Amino acid sequence: MPRRAPHALRPVTIAPHPISHPEGSALVCFGDTQVLCCASVEERVPPWLQGRGRGWVSAEYDMLPRATTTRSSRDSHRGKISGRTQEIGRLIGRALRSVVHLPALGERLITVDCDVLQADGGTRCAAITGGYVALALAIAHLEEGDKIKAGALPGRVAAVAVGILADGPQLDLDYSMDARAAVDLNVVMAADASLVEVQGTGEQRPFSRQELDDMLDLAFGALPQLLAAQDAALAIPYAARRPRGSAGSPAA
Amino acid sequence: MPRRAPHALRPVTIAPHPISHPEGSALVCFGDTQVLCCASVEERVPPWLQGRGRGWVSAEYDMLPRATTTRSSRDSHRGKISGRTQEIGRLIGRALRSVVHLPALGERLITVDCDVLQADGGTRCAAITGGYVALALAIAHLEEGDKIKAGALPGRVAAVAVGILADGPQLDLDYSMDARAAVDLNVVMAADASLVEVQGTGEQRPFSRQELDDMLDLAFGALPQLLAAQDAALAIPYAARRPRGSAGSPAA
Amino acid sequence: MPRRAPHALRPVTIAPHPISHPEGSALVCFGDTQVLCCASVEERVPPWLQGRGRGWVSAEYDMLPRATTTRSSRDSHRGKISGRTQEIGRLIGRALRSVVHLPALGERLITVDCDVLQADGGTRCAAITGGYVALALAIAHLEEGDKIKAGALPGRVAAVAVGILADGPQLDLDYSMDARAAVDLNVVMAADASLVEVQGTGEQRPFSRQELDDMLDLAFGALPQLLAAQDAALAIPYAARRPRGSAGSPAA
Amino acid sequence: MPRRAPHALRPVTIAPHPISHPEGSALVCFGDTQVLCCASVEERVPPWLQGRGRGWVSAEYDMLPRATTTRSSRDSHRGKISGRTQEIGRLIGRALRSVVHLPALGERLITVDCDVLQADGGTRCAAITGGYVALALAIAHLEEGDKIKAGALPGRVAAVAVGILADGPQLDLDYSMDARAAVDLNVVMAADASLVEVQGTGEQRPFSRQELDDMLDLAFGALPQLLAAQDAALAIPYAARRPRGSAGSPAA
Amino acid sequence: MPRRAPHALRPVTIAPHPISHPEGSALVCFGDTQVLCCASVEERVPPWLQGRGRGWVSAEYDMLPRATTTRSSRDSHRGKISGRTQEIGRLIGRALRSVVHLPALGERLITVDCDVLQADGGTRCAAITGGYVALALAIAHLEEGDKIKAGALPGRVAAVAVGILADGPQLDLDYSMDARAAVDLNVVMAADASLVEVQGTGEQRPFSRQELDDMLDLAFGALPQLLAAQDAALAIPYAARRPRGSAGSPAA
Amino acid sequence: MPRRAPHALRPVTIAPHPISHPEGSALVCFGDTQVLCCASVEERVPPWLQGRGRGWVSAEYDMLPRATTTRSSRDSHRGKISGRTQEIGRLIGRALRSVVHLPALGERLITVDCDVLQADGGTRCAAITGGYVALALAIAHLEEGDKIKAGALPGRVAAVAVGILADGPQLDLDYSMDARAAVDLNVVMAADASLVEVQGTGEQRPFSRQELDDMLDLAFGALPQLLAAQDAALAIPYAARRPRGSAGSPAA
C-alpha cells in the first residue's frame, strides 16, 4: 500500500443520530479512529453560573478499555481520572464553547460526551470535529422545540492533527505515524481559517518556526474537507431521526 | 403498534468483530438495546491465581453516559463505581466462567468488557448473550494461533429477562415494560436448558412459585432463538475479520 | 458429630435491643454467624424523594475485619466499597422495603445497618431475618411516640440459603458447606410463603429446574421456624428496653 | 441517681474470646461503652520492615454507624477515613507496641482491630485496655503453638480518661460528662505507674500544671483496678476458648 | 560545634506578610524548620455552624514533597490525606481556637494554612507559634476594615517540643535529636503560663511523672522568648504590608 | 503607574538553593509570581522503565491554597487532583525532558516539584524557567559526586506567556492582564530559538496566523533575558550551598 500523501486526510465520515436518546449525536470516523459523540441538554447550569441568564457547554472524553491495541484499565476502577483524559475533555470543551453564543442558550447545560470506540490516532481532533455535529443537532433540536431562538451557534469549528515524520510533515497522523513523529501539532480551526487553539509539542526534538508554518499550512488545507463532512452530516434533516422502538445499530 | 406477544423476543442480532483491536468482539442488539462486547486476552492471571497453571475470565460492565434517556454521570467522575455497575459485572463474569474450562486457558486472563451504547431494558442479559460470542471469538483466536488446544469452551450460555406485567408474564422486557413490571427475573441458561443463574425480584409485590415457573417457561422457550443468533455470529469464519487499516464503522 | 439433616436449620436466635442507642436493634445468630442489626430513624429523606410525602428504607451491610477466618482489609482503608458489600446491602434494602408501606412513614429515612461480627455462612439471609426485627422495633418506637399511625409494616420477611452438596440439597449452609456446594440459592420469603427475591447460582455446574424446586421446598419448609424466632424477639415488650446509663453487653 | 465519685471508675469488665476466629479477642466495657477488640496474626510484616527479623503491631479503630446517639456515615461510604478515626488508631498502636518486644515476634504482623459497638465516652482508653487483652491472648496462642518463645510481651498497658468538670476533676468521663468537661486528659499507663502517653486538651479553657497533676493522680489511682480487670480476663485459660461450630453470642 | 544547651531554643524568627494575598501571613523559622502560615478570611461558616451568629477558626497542615531529607509523595497523588497530616492540622486548629472569642468574629471562617517548606523537627510547634501571628494579622485586618470590633483575640498561644535524650531533657528538638529521643513532648502554652494542650509519648520507653515535670519546666522557660518573637512580628504596623504589584520574595 | 511596554518582561529573578534538602532547588519570580522548584534525585525509575539503563525526569505542579487572591481547597482534601494541576505538571515534565539526555542519567528518577507560593499570572512558564535551574543544579550535584558523567543536560529550556489585549499583543501577562486577554499563548523555547512546545488558546475569539506570529516574536524577543536569569542563578558555585544546621529563609 503506497504511503498516504502528506496533505491527504484519511477517509473522514460523520454519521448523524447513530443512537436515539441524546438530543444530538454523531459517529465520527477519521480512518479507523471512531468516536461516538453525544450532546445532552439539561435544564440547569453549573452552580457558579446560576442566575446569570446564560448557558454553558462542556465536554467529557473517554476511551473504551479496548479501543486501543492493548487493553487499558477503566478510570473508574483506578478511582481517579487520568490526566490525559481530563486534559482532552477540557480542550474539546473550550473548542466547542468558542463557537456558541452562550446567552442565547438560556440557563441550559449542554454536555458533549466523546467516547472513543476505536483508537487509531487523532482521537481528540476527531472528537472536536464530530462533537460539533452532535452539538449542532442538539441546538437545532432546541430551536425546533421553540425553546431557544436561532443564533445560538454562530460559528463552526473543526480540528486535525499534523506531525513531522522522517521525510517531512504529514497531515492526520494515524497511530503508527504518531508513534514515530518527531513533532505533533493539534490545530483547532474556525470556518474563516482562523485559529481557535493550537498545541504543538516537540516529542523528539524542538522544531523551527518554519516547521510550525508548514504544519499549519497542511492543517488549513484540510479545513474545507472537514467542513464538508460536517455539512453532509447536518444536511440530513432532523425529522429523519430514527424513532425509538425500531431496532438499529450505531452506524446504521 | 400492537403489543408484542408475551413469548416473543424483540429482534435479536449479534454482529461479530465490529471493531478490530480486541481478540474477540461483538455488537449485540436486543431491540433498541445495544451493547458492545470486547474480549481481551492478556498473558497474565490475577495475583491470587499465579502459579496454578490455569486461567481466568472476568467481565466489566458499564454504560456510556447518554445510553439512557437522561444523562448519567460517569463513575470515574464520581470517584467510585456504582453498586449496580459492579453487581452486573460480577454476574456476567460468573455466567461466562461457567462455560469455560479454565485449566485449558493456561495462565491467561480474558476480560470481557460490556459497554452499553444504548439502553432499552435487558442490558445485562444482552451482555451475557453477546459476551459469549466475544469470548468464543477470542478463544478461537487463541486456538488458531496454536496457543491453546481445543476444548477450552465446552459450554454455551445465553440469558433473557422476563417480568410480570398487569396482564401476565412477558418475555424480554424493554425499558417501558420494565418500569411497570411487578416482578423482574433474569435467567441465565446453559444450552442443555439447565440454569446457570436465576435472579428474581418482586419489585412491587411478592410472587408465587407458580409465577416463577411461568416466567422460567418463557425464558427457556426463547433459548433456541438466542442460541441461533449466537450461531449466526460465530458462523462467520474468523478469517473474515476486517484487517487493521481499512476504514469501517462498528456495525459495518 | 453427625451431619445436620438436610432440612434442618442451625440454631436460630434473635436477641432484641442488644444495644441502646438505635431506635431498633437485634443481634441475630444462625449458628456461629452473628450479625448486629441496627435501625436508625432520621427526620429526612434522600434528596430525590423530597416533597413526596413518603419515607424510605435502606440498608448497609459490612463485616468487621476479623469476622472471617482470615483478616480482611476495611473498605474504608482501601478507599472504596467492595462490589460484594454493596450488592448485599442493596439486596437487604429491597427485601425490607418490600414489607413497608412507605407513605405511612411520612418523610422519614430508616437505615438498617447490618454488621457481621462473626461469619460462618448465610450472613445475608441472617441480616434480612434479623434486620426485619430491628426495623419492626424502630417502627414500633415511632408508633409509640405517636409519630406515625399503625399500618406502616403490613408484611413480614425472612430469608435462608440453600445449596446442593455432593449428596443432595442442604438447608442453611455454614461456611464449610458453602465452600463445597455446587449450587447456592438465597431465598427471601414473605409470611404467606410467596417469594420476595430469589438468587441462585451454579457455582460449580448448572442446575436443573427440578433441583431449583427441591431447594425452594427446603427454604419454605424452614419459614415457620424463622418467623417464630422473629416472633420471640418481638414479643419482648418495647418498655423492656434497657435504659441508657445501665451497663450491659450486646447479647445480654 | 447520685453522681459517681470523682475517683470512681464505671464498672469495667473484659470478656475474653467473645468470638472465635481471631487469635485473640476481648469485649471490653467501661460502663455503657463497649468495644470489640480482635488481634489477628499474619505471617508477614509491612514492606518497610521486611528482612529485619522482627515483627510489628498495629491497630485500627472504628465505630459502627449507630454506636453513637445519632447515626454517622461509614468512612467507607464517604470514601475516606476521618482524621479522628486515624488519630485514635495510631494512638492505640503506639500504646500496644510500647509493651511488646518486637524482635521476639519474628517476622509477624499483629493487627488489633478495635470496633466500638456502643459509645458512651472513653472509647479510646477502653480500646487500649481491652486491646491489651486481645494482644496478650494472641501472643499466648503463638507461644502455645511453639511459634515464638516466651518473652514477647514484657510489659502491661492500660488507659483511662480524666476531665475537669464544674466542680472539679472526674475520672472516667461518660459521654454526658465529656460534653461539658473544661479539660480532657487521656492517660496511657504502664504497670509500674509510669507514663506511656499523655494527651491533655483544654477544651474550654487552659489548665494549670496543678490541675494536670490532680488529673494524673486520679488516673494512676485507677490503675490497679484496670490491671485487675485484665488479670481476670487473662486468667481464663486459653483451652477454655470456645471451639468453632458451637453457637454463642459475643458476650456469652 | 558544641551541643546546644538543654534549655536553649534554636534561633526563632517570625517574618510577617511574606506574601501579599492572604489577610494575614507569617514565615516562621525554628532553626532550619520553615513554615509558611497563611490566614484566609471567608464570609461564611461551615454548614453545621450556620445561623448561630459566631465564627470558626480551622487549620490545615501539609508539607511540600521535598521539605524532608528524602522526597515524599503528595497526599493528593495518593488520593487520601495521611493520618499524621490530619492529626497535626486538628491540633493546630484547637490551639488557635483556644485564644479566639468566636462570637466576636461574626459568621466568618478563618482558615490557617501551615505549609512546611523545610522540615528539621518541631514543625507542629512552629506552625502554632507562627500561625498565631498570621491569625492575629488577619483579625487586625478585619478590625481595621471595621468589620469586627476589638476583642476577638483575647489570648495568646505558642508551642515548643521537648524531649529526653541519652543525657537528659532537651528543649526544641531538631530532626536528628528527635530521631533518637526516648520521649517526645509537645507543649502548647497560653501567655499566662497555663497549658492549652500537652501531648507526650514514650517513643522508646515509658517516662516518670518527674520527667514530665522536668520537660514542662523547659517548655515554660522558653515561653517568654517565643512570645517576644511573636511581638516582634506583630510590631510591624499593618500599613507596612507590601502592596500588590511590587515584586518581592517570601522572606523579603 | 504607566503600563508596562508590550515587549517588556516583569522583573525576573531566580534564586538558587533557597532550601537545603533537595539536590537542586530554585525560587523563581516573574513579578509577583513566586514558584519554589525542587529537583529530587532517586535511585530508581518508574516500573515501566526498569532494566532499560536510562533515567527519567518528571514534574509535579501545585499551588498553596492561598497563593491566589481567594483561597482554594487543597486537592488532597477534595480527594482528587484537578485537571488543570495535572495538565500543567505534564507540560513542565515534557519541557524539562526535552533538554535531558536520559541515558546519561543511568537508572535514576529526577522529580521536579513546582509549588506556587504566590500566583500573579504565568505560573507554568515561571515553573519551567525556574525548574530548569533546579534540574541543572541536581544534575551538577550528580556530576560532582561522580555518579554520572558530563553531558546529561545538553539543552536549555525557558518559557514565557504572551497574550492579546485590547490594544495589541503583550508579553508576560500578569493576572489582571490574563483575565482580560482575548488570546493566551504559552511558548516553551530552546536556547537556539526553536520551539519545544506551543499552546495557544482563543479565550474570547479566534486569532489569525499573523497574530500567532506577532506573539511568537514577542516570546523569542524575551528569550535572551530569561536565559540570562538562569545563567545568573547557575553561576553561583554549588559549594556556596548553605550547609544544613544554619538558620536561613527561603529567599536568603
Side-chain angles (χ1 to χ4, degrees), chain C residues 111-133:
Chain C
T111 305
V112 181
D113 288 289
C114 299
D115 286 89
V116 180
L117 304 184
Q118 187 164 286
D120 189 28
T123 60
R124 76 188 72 188
C125 291
I128 290 169
T129 305
Y132 173 81
V133 171

Side-chain angles (χ1 to χ4, degrees), chain C residues 116-232:
Chain C
V116 180
L117 304 184
Q118 187 164 286
D120 189 28
T123 60
R124 76 188 72 188
C125 291
I128 290 169
T129 305
Y132 173 81
V133 171
L135 176 64
L137 291 170
I139 287 177
H141 176 74
L142 286 170
E143 289 172 357
E144 285 162 30
D146 283 330
K147 296 201 171 165
I148 63 172
K149 293 186 194 162
L153 193 66
R156 176 77 74 88
V157 66
V160 71
V162 198
I164 300 181
L165 301 180
D167 53 358
Q170 171 69 48
L171 186 70
D172 190 20
L173 306 178
D174 64 24
Y175 177 79
S176 70
M177 290 167 169
D178 190 56
R180 62 181 196 270
V183 179
D184 180 31
L185 185 79
N186 291 290
V187 188
V188 186
M189 300 167 284
D192 65 351
S194 59
L195 284 156
V196 170
E197 180 132 357
V198 58
Q199 293 191 337
T201 303
E203 302 281 1
Q204 295 176 7
R205 60 164 176 82
F207 53 105
S208 69
R209 290 182 63 177
Q210 183 59 52
E211 287 175 317
L212 175 61
D213 270 337
D214 293 346
M215 290 189 284
L216 288 171
D217 285 344
L218 285 184
F220 279 102
L223 180 57
Q225 191 176 343
L226 296 172
L227 297 176
Q230 291 177 335
D231 282 339

